[in-house]
Amino acid sequence: MSLTLGSSSNYRSLSHMSSTKAKMDKSLERISSGQRLLSAADDPGGLAVAMKLKSQISSYDAQKDSVENAKSYVEAQSTALQTASEIVTKMQDLKSDYDDPSATVADKAAYESEFQDLRKQLDSLKGETLNGTKLFNRTDGDMTVSSVTLTNLDLNAKLQNDDSSGNGNQNIGDSSDTSVTLNTVTVTNLSNISDNVSGLVAEAAGDESTLGFTSEYLSNMSINLETARGRIMDVDLAEESANYAKLSMQYEAAAAAVAQANVAMGAVLDLLLSSVNRD
């Protein structure tokens, strides 16, 4: 009859030690990485949902970048239009000074010179660009950014007006037209043009406000989706730390059981050897 040292309980303890050690390593990896799902095997369905959420987050972030760029574009438009409005207001002042009966010939010449300089500035504003894209009078028409339509602002058209007084169409924004002077332009012309430019200022401000709301919405959606993804992917450190502590205790208990079994087997061997030596 053969004698077998050890027992099935000892083998179970060794097996438990091995499986517990593997679980401890995985728990420690979760704690160190901050991720609950370390592989698709941990939760295939949850990982698939998390990947979809990540794709949506990337889409919202890309849209937000486009909206922010559009906001910069509209802000540049607003700045240029406010300058244009101030120039037209100054032109109205010059017209009043020019028509003042007390103005001398020299005064009128000075007013006219300043008027023409301002016309050149308006002409320059019409061609302003941002990163190569014209602010006004674009050839590609309206611009759509994340479902927001930015109307192509025709500044050139707003700088011309026919007051029906016989002076024709006065385009104060075309500095190449030498027929437009303080003598030919009328108060009605300048007043109508001022109203037209003010309308563009309001339109640009409306676009800027709309883009602001859109940017805020996209930002909030991205944050909400990131939070939802975090609930799936991120580890609960408190829970995982408690789990790691529990596994450590189980591992230590199994190790103690194996050590005790080894001591018992050593005692049996000593007895057998003593018996053999006496014989």
Side-chain angles (χ1 to χ4, degrees):
M1 178 177 172
S2 62
L3 176 64
T4 303
L5 296 178
S7 65
S8 60
S9 62
N10 191 34
Y11 297 139
R12 285 197 299 271
S13 296
L14 287 171
S15 176
H16 184 67
M17 278 183 63
S18 178
S19 62
T20 302
K21 182 64 168 62
K23 292 177 181 177
M24 286 175 61
D25 291 342
K26 198 157 196 176
S27 178
L28 187 60
E29 189 176 353
R30 287 194 179 102
I31 293 173
S32 60
S33 67
Q35 297 293 309
R36 184 177 70 87
L37 304 183
L38 301 174
S39 67
D42 293 335
D43 185 355
L47 185 61
V49 173
M51 291 177 66
K52 291 179 181 179
L53 291 174
K54 182 64 175 177
S55 177
Q56 286 182 285
I57 292 168
S58 298
S59 176
Y60 280 126
D61 288 344
Q63 290 182 61
K64 186 175 183 296
D65 289 341
S66 296
V67 169
E68 289 299 321
N69 291 334
K71 279 180 64 179
S72 298
Y73 179 81
V74 173
E75 286 169 358
Q77 282 183 322
S78 295
T79 299
L81 288 171
Q82 288 169 9
T83 301
S85 179
E86 292 171 1
I87 290 175
V88 175
T89 298
K90 180 60 178 178
M91 286 179 166
Q92 290 176 299
D93 294 340
L94 290 174
K95 176 61 177 176
S96 298
D97 293 337
Y98 186 90
D99 292 341
D100 190 331
S102 64
T104 65
V105 173
D107 291 337
K108 290 188 176 184
Y111 297 146
E112 182 62 37
S113 176
E114 185 176 357
F115 177 74
Q116 296 302 329
D117 287 340
L118 292 175
R119 292 187 65 210
K120 291 178 182 178
Q121 290 186 45
L122 285 177
D123 210 353
S124 176
L125 284 175
K126 293 189 302 182
E128 285 293 326
T129 63
L130 178 67
N131 196 27
T133 302
K134 293 186 66 176
L135 298 180
F136 311 106
N137 313 44
R138 295 195 310 269
T139 57
D140 55 349
D142 296 344
M143 180 189 300
T144 301
V145 180
S146 188
S147 301
V148 178
T149 300
L150 306 180
T151 305
N152 181 18
L153 304 182
D154 190 352
L155 179 59
N156 184 59
K158 301 301 182 181
L159 293 176
Q160 55 189 3
N161 176 260
D162 187 349
D163 67 354
S164 303
S165 63
N167 289 315
N169 195 335
Q170 300 289 309
N171 189 344
I172 62 173
D174 183 4
S175 59
S176 63
D177 186 356
T178 58
S179 66
V180 180
T181 65
L182 283 175
N183 187 46
T184 61
V185 75
T186 66
V187 173
T188 303
N189 281 138
L190 293 175
S191 178
N192 289 339
I193 290 172
S194 178
D195 291 342
N196 292 339
V197 174
S198 295
L200 289 182
V201 171
E203 189 169 352
D207 289 340
E208 187 175 348
S209 177
T210 301
L211 289 171
F213 285 121
T214 302
S215 177
E216 183 178 358
Y217 166 77
L218 293 172
S219 179
N220 289 335
M221 285 299 296
S222 180
I223 292 173
N224 291 338
L225 290 177
E226 190 64 57
T227 301
R229 182 176 179 274
R231 293 191 184 101
I232 298 173
M233 295 295 296
D234 295 346
V235 69
D236 185 330
L237 289 177
E239 179 182 355
E240 197 60 42
S241 296
N243 183 51
Y244 182 78
K246 179 187 72 174
L247 292 171
S248 297
M249 293 177 63
Q250 291 176 356
Y251 181 81
E252 293 295 335
V258 171
Q260 184 65 34
N262 289 337
V263 170
M265 285 189 293
V268 172
L269 285 173
D270 288 342
L271 289 173
L272 289 174
L273 289 173
S274 298
S275 176
V276 170
N277 290 334
R278 282 196 301 271
D279 294 341

